[in-house]
Amino acid sequence: MEKKESAKLMKAYFKQLKKLEALKTLDARLRFALKDLRELRDTNWVPRRKVEEAKTIQEIHDDIQAEEDRKAGRKVSKPKREKSASNLATVTDDGWETVPTSGVVRKPAASDKREKKAASPPPQAGGAFGAFALMNEKKKKKKDKDGDEKKKKKKKSSKESLTEFAAEEAAAEADAFDEAAYKATCRACINEYMSIEQVDEVVACARDELPKKGGPDKLSLLAGAALDLALDGKERDRVRVAPLLVELAGKGVLASSHLEEAFAAPLEFLADVVIDAPKAVEWLGDVLKALVAADCCGVAFLAEPPAAVAEQGDEALEVYGKFKAHVGA
């Protein structure tokens, strides 16, 4: 029912209908009708309920008999109908006779045509009245033509507006950033490195896979996935984090801005992490010290504590001060 070339328009159209369903100011009957229409499209325009057709009395008897035969385990027999000699009536086993209506249409005779033609003579176009009628006819035709043109323009304008709306919706969906999917790819990439220690695999992921999910500014999440292992990972993985980030910075995958932004999240919750892992300040600080020593980034971004840290109070500020002291900021 739907054509391929109009798929985007139909998608946009039904998206607007779905919004109308949730509009409480709209009449409930209309909202349910819109919902039924949308669900009918979801089922490929196949009704959920079979449309019942009217049955004759004999068909009802046949259905009841067939149901009784099935329950009794007997073979269901088809109803037998006999035709009368006139071939017009159908006689059933119970004696009922059904006479179909005739579909024969009488063809009018030539005399009927002549009488009809004589009864309604054609209008005369002569005289002042005929000229006036002709002028009115021309005006009516012009008015109808103008109305058709306006309808065509209105229809074209509506279609163009809907096309523009569909294009805007498609662009918005393309621009939407799925942070959860991006982070999942980053974690999988870092975990693979911890298993095989092939930094080229991480570089390939950063240059081939991640650009499909987000822009270059999102690469700080890749560095953040590595820093998560520095705080939550095993010792053998923790010591590999700093060398990995140094290599990625050396290959031009990560810029200093990516690394500095990646430290923002763990620093914000560092006071909570220290409760369960007292050495968290040292683990995270050692990674930053290695990056500074390799000239991958600086410590100027630590000059002032982030607003999120300051809002947590003196305890969080104290942990932040210990981190700065550990890295020599």
Side-chain angles (χ1 to χ4, degrees):
M1 186 172 181
E2 295 183 20
K3 296 181 180 179
K4 185 177 180 181
E5 55 268 19
S6 62
K8 291 184 178 180
L9 297 178
M10 291 293 288
K11 183 179 179 182
Y13 182 69
F14 275 90
K15 191 171 184 180
Q16 291 299 308
L17 290 183
K18 190 174 182 180
K19 291 180 180 179
L20 290 176
E21 289 178 30
L23 197 61
K24 300 298 183 182
T25 56
L26 205 61
D27 183 64
R29 184 180 298 178
L30 181 57
R31 285 191 284 115
F32 283 118
L34 293 175
K35 183 180 179 182
D36 290 341
L37 178 62
R38 180 174 56 79
E39 291 178 350
L40 183 62
R41 180 175 180 260
D42 292 340
T43 57
N44 199 21
W45 305 105
V46 178
R48 292 179 301 172
R49 297 180 294 273
K50 184 179 178 181
V51 179
E52 295 289 341
E53 296 180 354
K55 294 183 179 181
T56 63
I57 295 177
Q58 180 59 39
E59 288 174 337
I60 295 174
H61 289 320
D62 292 341
D63 291 343
I64 294 173
Q65 184 63 43
E67 183 64 25
E68 291 178 354
D69 290 343
R70 277 193 290 269
K71 288 182 180 179
R74 296 191 296 269
K75 183 178 178 182
V76 179
S77 58
K78 294 183 179 180
K80 184 176 68 174
R81 292 179 173 82
E82 299 176 356
K83 292 185 178 180
S84 62
S86 61
N87 203 27
L88 292 178
T90 302
V91 182
T92 58
D93 293 336
D94 56 1
W96 288 87
E97 183 177 274
T98 304
V99 180
T101 54
S102 175
V104 180
V105 180
R106 187 178 68 87
K107 185 177 180 181
S111 59
D112 294 342
K113 292 182 180 180
R114 287 193 297 269
E115 290 175 2
K116 185 177 179 181
K117 186 175 181 181
S120 56
Q124 299 295 325
F129 181 77
F132 181 74
L134 186 61
M135 183 175 64
N136 282 343
E137 184 68 21
K138 289 182 179 180
K139 286 183 178 180
K140 185 177 181 300
K141 288 183 179 179
K142 186 177 184 303
K143 186 177 179 181
D144 293 341
K145 184 178 180 182
D146 293 341
D148 292 341
E149 290 179 356
K150 287 181 180 179
K151 287 181 181 179
K152 288 180 181 179
K153 288 181 180 179
K154 187 176 180 180
K155 185 176 180 181
K156 184 178 180 182
S157 176
S158 176
K159 187 175 181 180
E160 288 175 353
S161 300
L162 194 57
T163 304
E164 291 174 2
F165 175 77
E168 291 174 0
E169 288 289 324
E173 290 179 2
D175 294 339
F177 173 62
D178 190 345
E179 184 174 347
Y182 194 97
K183 285 183 175 180
T185 303
C186 292
R187 286 194 297 269
C189 179
I190 297 299
N191 290 334
E192 184 179 8
Y193 169 79
M194 295 302 169
S195 300
I196 61 177
E197 293 190 65
Q198 294 290 331
V199 71
D200 290 338
E201 294 295 327
V202 184
V203 173
C205 177
R207 290 177 176 171
D208 298 335
E209 296 297 325
L210 293 180
K212 299 175 184 177
K213 301 178 181 293
D217 58 312
K218 305 299 182 183
L219 283 172
S220 58
L221 297 176
L222 177 63
L227 293 179
D228 288 342
L229 279 181
L231 294 174
D232 301 331
K234 298 179 180 179
E235 179 64 25
R236 62 184 181 85
D237 294 334
R238 187 180 300 117
V239 297
R240 298 175 188 172
V241 172
L244 171 61
L245 293 178
V246 170
E247 282 197 70
L248 292 177
K251 292 180 179 292
V253 175
L254 297 176
S256 60
S257 59
H258 295 139
L259 297 169
E260 293 170 3
E261 187 177 349
F263 276 93
L267 285 175
E268 181 179 344
F269 304 105
L270 190 58
D272 295 330
V273 177
V274 168
I275 297 174
D276 297 325
K279 291 186 177 182
V281 172
E282 298 176 16
W283 296 338
L284 192 63
D286 289 343
V287 176
L288 182 56
K289 286 169 69 174
L291 291 170
V292 173
D295 199 25
C296 297
C297 68
V299 293
F301 70 98
L302 297 174
E304 296 293 334
V309 175
E311 290 174 357
Q312 296 178 41
D314 296 338
E315 186 178 350
L317 289 172
E318 183 181 352
V319 174
Y320 187 81
K322 289 180 180 179
F323 179 81
K324 286 180 62 176
H326 185 78
V327 299

